[in-house]
Amino acid sequence: IRELKIKNPEAFEILAFLSTLDSKDIPLKLIECFTENKVDQGIECLIENSFISNVNKAPDFISYDVHDISRRLVFDELNDQEKKDVKQKGINAFFRFFKEQFSKTYDMNREDQVFYSHLLAFLDKFAPTDELLPLNVLSIKRYLYSKRNVKYTKILAEKVDRFNPVEKIKDKDVLFEYFLDWAFVHCFYYTEKHFDKGIKFALKAMGCAQNDEQLFRAVTRAMWLHLYVGDLKGALSFFSKADNLFAETRDIYARKEFYFGASWLFLEKG
């Protein structure tokens, strides 16, 4: 590992990043976002030196296993500044990857599951800080799509709240996801108190929307909130607003949530 650090610092840095993640199935694009260049040479060097095993390189994913010894030792070879650099480059990589690949995604498909498992492993490696806050916000989404996990999601979102994300996060795309996630959490509760909080978050998401597609997602979420409390008139109002934005929305998962909510609405209306 020391020899690798001297002879091929780019490959060593990739190994340091991989050592913070879960093994198996990492999107190559995530590594590219971390290194910004020389991805193939770095991976090949790690394979040749047996730092990575069980490699199965697909067009968009690489299946790998960082040996436990490598995983344990590589961080010992990093000084404090190098650990800080790896952390910052990792933050940038996750953030860029999310913005490019996942900001429009609703379903927890295979790619989502892999991305979020690596993200959570990375967050577990470092103590919570303001600079990790955007990634903590993104991690909330991992647990949203199962009703049995909603209580844990709420606890996770409340932990993020302690860092005051509304004041500290300047990126409106991340704030949009934060508001939309909180609105989703409140979808699972049927009391007026939770509805009032949920609709406020949905309205804040609308205010943060950077384009018609994000606005469509926020309006659709507001429609769902009204459906959950049986307010068909309110749901119909937001349905009409979402319907007007539908033509501007290309993302299949956003359309799917709209269709599902719309079918529920018209079934309720009889």
Side-chain angles (χ1 to χ4, degrees):
I1 288 175
R2 288 174 183 169
E3 186 178 329
L4 176 71
K5 185 177 180 181
I6 296 169
K7 290 186 175 180
N8 196 328
E10 291 89 359
F12 176 80
E13 200 170 43
I14 292 173
L15 182 61
F17 179 53
L18 295 182
S19 73
T20 68
L21 311 179
D22 283 339
S23 292
K24 311 288 186 182
D25 293 333
I26 186 169
L28 280 172
K29 183 67 178 175
L30 180 59
I31 304 176
E32 288 174 6
C33 287
F34 177 82
T35 62
E36 299 181 7
N37 59 12
K38 299 182 180 178
V39 177
D40 286 337
Q41 295 113 308
I43 293 295
E44 287 171 9
C45 176
L46 296 177
I47 295 168
E48 288 172 4
N49 286 279
S50 299
F51 291 121
I52 292 179
S53 63
N54 301 331
V55 174
N56 176 25
K57 187 175 178 182
D60 55 346
F61 275 80
I62 183 168
S63 298
Y64 71 92
D65 187 11
V66 179
H67 290 299
D68 289 340
I69 294 174
S70 301
R71 187 187 296 276
R72 189 168 65 249
L73 291 181
V74 68
F75 246 61
D76 293 339
E77 290 299 319
L78 295 172
N79 60 41
D80 289 342
Q81 183 59 47
E82 287 168 335
K83 287 180 181 178
K84 185 177 180 181
D85 291 343
V86 168
K87 180 174 77 168
Q88 189 57 57
K89 288 186 72 172
I91 290 170
N92 295 341
F94 276 111
F95 193 56
R96 283 180 55 204
F97 186 81
F98 175 81
K99 298 262 282 193
E100 292 174 13
Q101 307 289 327
F102 285 91
S103 59
K104 300 174 184 176
T105 302
Y106 271 59
D107 276 2
M108 293 307 292
N109 52 32
R110 172 178 172 263
E111 288 78 6
D112 278 349
Q113 297 277 11
V114 169
F115 172 75
Y116 285 111
S117 67
H118 289 308
L119 175 60
L120 292 170
F122 182 82
L123 288 169
D124 285 343
K125 193 79 173 180
F126 301 101
T129 57
D130 288 349
E131 61 186 343
L132 285 167
L133 188 55
L135 296 190
N136 286 114
V137 169
L138 300 186
S139 72
I140 297 172
K141 196 174 184 180
R142 171 66 180 84
Y143 300 98
L144 278 180
Y145 297 92
S146 170
K147 190 167 184 177
R148 69 185 179 188
N149 287 333
V150 71
K151 289 183 178 179
Y152 180 75
T153 306
K154 187 170 180 288
I155 292 170
L156 186 61
E158 287 170 345
K159 286 181 179 178
V160 171
D161 276 358
R162 294 172 195 162
F163 285 87
N164 200 5
V166 177
E167 295 296 325
K168 292 178 180 175
I169 295 177
K170 304 304 179 185
D171 190 290
K172 285 195 173 182
D173 288 325
V174 176
L175 280 178
F176 173 81
E177 296 293 335
Y178 169 76
F179 292 138
L180 209 63
D181 288 348
W182 259 120
F184 199 109
V185 169
H186 288 291
C187 271
F188 288 97
Y189 298 93
Y190 298 86
T191 64
E192 288 185 7
K193 173 185 173 184
H194 281 288
F195 169 76
D196 289 343
K197 286 183 177 180
I199 201 65
K200 284 178 181 176
F201 279 115
L203 292 173
K204 286 180 179 179
M206 292 177 205
C208 269
Q210 300 292 289
N211 50 53
D212 286 340
E213 194 162 279
Q214 285 186 343
L215 186 59
F216 174 82
R217 292 174 60 193
V219 171
T220 299
R221 187 60 48 85
M223 176 181 71
W224 273 84
L225 280 158
H226 283 277
L227 281 169
Y228 263 84
V229 294
D231 179 9
L232 298 186
K233 184 177 179 181
L236 188 59
S237 172
F238 281 107
F239 162 81
S240 298
K241 292 175 182 177
D243 196 35
N244 290 334
L245 294 164
F246 185 85
E248 306 301 320
T249 303
R250 295 288 176 264
D251 186 74
I252 189 171
Y253 300 113
R255 287 186 166 200
K256 176 180 160 184
E257 181 164 305
F258 171 76
Y259 281 138
F260 190 24
S263 64
W264 180 15
L265 169 63
F266 287 102
L267 282 170
E268 292 287 342
K269 279 176 63 63

